[in-house]
């Protein structure tokens, strides 16, 4: 049973690169969002899932990343590809002001602007796979074990001689660095930035809820969470907005969050994994 | 400064809930927004002045808090903190967006006959409405402390806060007491909402801002301390208005958050807080 599940997952994964050539542009957008939020959820997972340190402010890192990349690109002409790597160093996000920032479209791939939505699709896919690879790798390393130990019992961990502060900080740095990269992607995918949208708590909730619903502290949890929630969110937003019911999809989100905390606190992935192991 | 009374009242509600249950009410600001909208509904539909209507708002929010505690929070009182926070975030999302659905995104304002008049108080020129809001908020805080220290229900709330196990042993219905405490906390913030409704335009997304402002005050004053929340509210209100005058109005929140960072650095338990056990 377990092997079947793994084979199915691998097969699904192998099909992902083919999606843009088979389905229409709406599916491409949808999957790009799934990958993007999967990426963010996974980045949060390092500090929130493994180390058990709840961060409700991850949108801030996203915002910093987004603004830095946008500013560097708009003001200085530095390519976001480069900006993606330098986010942690330069956080000059305060300059945009409350009005926000608009990026002029040039369609130059060297400037991380693609005319074809499919390019974003592949970038998002690679980002998600890469961060999942990092997390899977970390989980088996001493670093990952330390983080789980900190989550389970911080004082016992410290008593055994682990520098818990150091590892929590490293986890936070790694997680925020990755989220910053996500921010750069966000800026150049949407082409506009407003502080309220990239720094707000709602975005943090969007990130956290994916990891929690899928299963925080597992390698595949946040990805699964994103595959469940992102399409749901998009469809709900679309249909509710059509009926003039703005905000209804967030009501659904809130109810879902409450239900998951009360009835499925470990998340969907561990539950599914146990189902298949039997 | 006069806003301080209302700030204090909402922080007192939050600190009561935290002090008793050790649960951080992330939906606090959204409950306040509901208080505002209830006041607005009563004023526009029934012509009830918000300075009378706040009693109804407080009662309605008491019921809401009671139910939220009974149905949701009670199940996770002993759960890890992050789970509680996530649950309350869920409640906050539901409340905020229900308000958005029902009342729409446009900013609303309650008209009160009192909001137009002003008086000279010695050398300063003051809105009557602000003065009343301040006085009522202070009065309610006083009533709350009387309730907690002089009545049986209040005493059992404090007993359950001090030692839930001990309170259970001597025959207190701790679950009921928790629900009442949550209800009273929600009622405080509901009244606070109704009191400020004529003073500033409000819209559903304000809830989060108000929640954060309440946490800020409670942490500055000291988690779980009523006096701390009260004084903290006044301090933050004064600091923010000074910041708005001397810096830029958009930077006033920066002032209160800087205050928060300073307090956390030099006196982590807050001004009136006891050391965390």
């Amino acid at each position: 049973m377990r092997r079947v599940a793994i084979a199915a997952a691998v097969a699904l994964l192998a099909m992902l690169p083919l999606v843009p050539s088979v389905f229409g542009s709406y599916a491409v957008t949808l999957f790009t969002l799934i990958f993007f939020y999967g990426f963010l959820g996974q980045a949060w997972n390092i500090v929130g899932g493994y180390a058990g340190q709840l961060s409700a402010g991850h949108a801030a890192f996203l915002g910093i990343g987004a603004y830095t990349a946008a500013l560097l690109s708009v003001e200085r002409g530095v390519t976001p590809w480069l900006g993606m790597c330098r986010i942690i160093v330069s956080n000059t996000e305060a300059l945009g002001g409350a009005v926000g920032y608009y990026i002029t479209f040039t369609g130059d791939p060297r400037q991380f602007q693609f005319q074809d939505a499919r390019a974003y699709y592949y970038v998002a896919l690679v980002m998600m796979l890469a961060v999942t690879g990092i997390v899977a790798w970390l989980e088996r390393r001493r670093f990952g074990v330390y983080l789980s130990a900190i989550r389970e019992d911080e004082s016992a961990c410290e008593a055994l001689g682990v520098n818990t502060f150091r590892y929590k900080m490293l986890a936070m740095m790694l997680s925020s660095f990755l989220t910053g990269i996500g921010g750069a992607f966000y800026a150049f995918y949407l082409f506009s930035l407003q502080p309220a949208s990239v720094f707000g708590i709602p975005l943090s909730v969007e990130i956290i809820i994916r990891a929690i619903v899928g299963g925080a502290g597992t390698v595949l949890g946040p990805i699964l969470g994103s595959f469940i929630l992102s399409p749901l969110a998009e469809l709900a937003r679309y249909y509710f907005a059509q009926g003039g019911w703005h905000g209804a999809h967030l009501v659904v989100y809130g109810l879902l969050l409450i239900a998951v905390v009360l009835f499925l606190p470990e998340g969907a992935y561990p539950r599914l994994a146990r189902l298949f192991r039997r | 400064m006069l806003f301080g009374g209302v700030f204090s009242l909402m922080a007192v509600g939050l600190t009561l809930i935290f002090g008793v249950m050790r649960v951080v009410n992330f939906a606090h600001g959204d409950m306040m927004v509901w208080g505002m909208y209830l006041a607005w509904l009563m004023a526009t539909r029934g012509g009830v002045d918000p300075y009378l209507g706040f009693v109804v708002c407080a009662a309605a929010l008491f019921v809401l808090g009671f139910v939220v505690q009974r149905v949701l929070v009670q199940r996770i009182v002993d759960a890890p903190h992050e789970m509680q926070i996530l649950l309350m975030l869920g409640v906050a999302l539901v409340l905020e967006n229900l308000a958005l659905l029902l009342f729409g995104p446009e900013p609303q304002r309650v008209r009160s006959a009192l909001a137009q008049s002003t008086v000279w108080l010695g050398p300063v020129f003051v809105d009557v409405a602000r003065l009343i809001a301040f006085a009522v908020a202070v009065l309610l805080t006083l009533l709350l402390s009387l309730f907690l220290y002089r009545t049986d229900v209040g005493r059992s709330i404090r007993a359950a806060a001090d030692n839930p196990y001990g309170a259970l042993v001597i025959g207190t219905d701790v679950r009921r007491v928790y629900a009442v405490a949550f209800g009273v906390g929600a009622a405080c913030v509901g009244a606070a909402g109704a009191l400020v409704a004529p003073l500033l335009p409000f819209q559903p997304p304000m809830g989060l801002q108000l929640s954060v402002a309440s946490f800020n005050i409670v942490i500055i004053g000291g988690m779980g301390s009523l006096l701390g929340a009260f004084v903290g509210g006044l301090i933050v209100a004064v600091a923010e208005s000074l910041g708005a005058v001397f810096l830029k109005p958009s930077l006033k929140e920066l002032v209160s958050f800087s205050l928060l960072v300073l307090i956390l650095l030099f006196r982590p338990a807050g001004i009136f807080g006891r050391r965390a056990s």
Side-chain angles (χ1 to χ4, degrees), chain A residues 52 54 56 151 200-202 205 208 212 244-248 250-255 257-259 261-263 265-266, chain B residues 26 71-73 75-76 81-98 100-101 105 208 212:
Chain A
L54 185 80
R151 177 189 61 206
I201 301 263
V205 173
I208 296 172
I212 297 284
W245 293 46
H246 296 285
L250 287 171
V251 175
V252 176
Y253 255 41
L255 291 175
L257 195 57
I258 294 171
V261 170
L262 289 184
F263 303 115
E266 49 176 2
Chain B
F26 258 82
V71 178
L72 302 172
V73 181
R75 295 162 182 262
I76 51 132
H81 257 301
E82 59 262 31
M83 281 308 177
Q84 299 176 347
I85 292 176
L86 287 171
L87 181 85
M88 293 321 293
L89 267 180
V91 175
L93 270 177
V94 171
L95 285 180
E96 175 184 329
N97 291 290
L98 267 183
L100 195 61
L101 265 180
L208 194 82
V212 173

Side-chain angles (χ1 to χ4, degrees), chain A residues 224 228 267-277:
Chain A
L224 182 66
I228 298 172
Y269 177 72
R271 188 60 68 92
L272 276 178
R274 230 173 301 141
L275 208 69
F276 280 111
R277 216 161 285 164

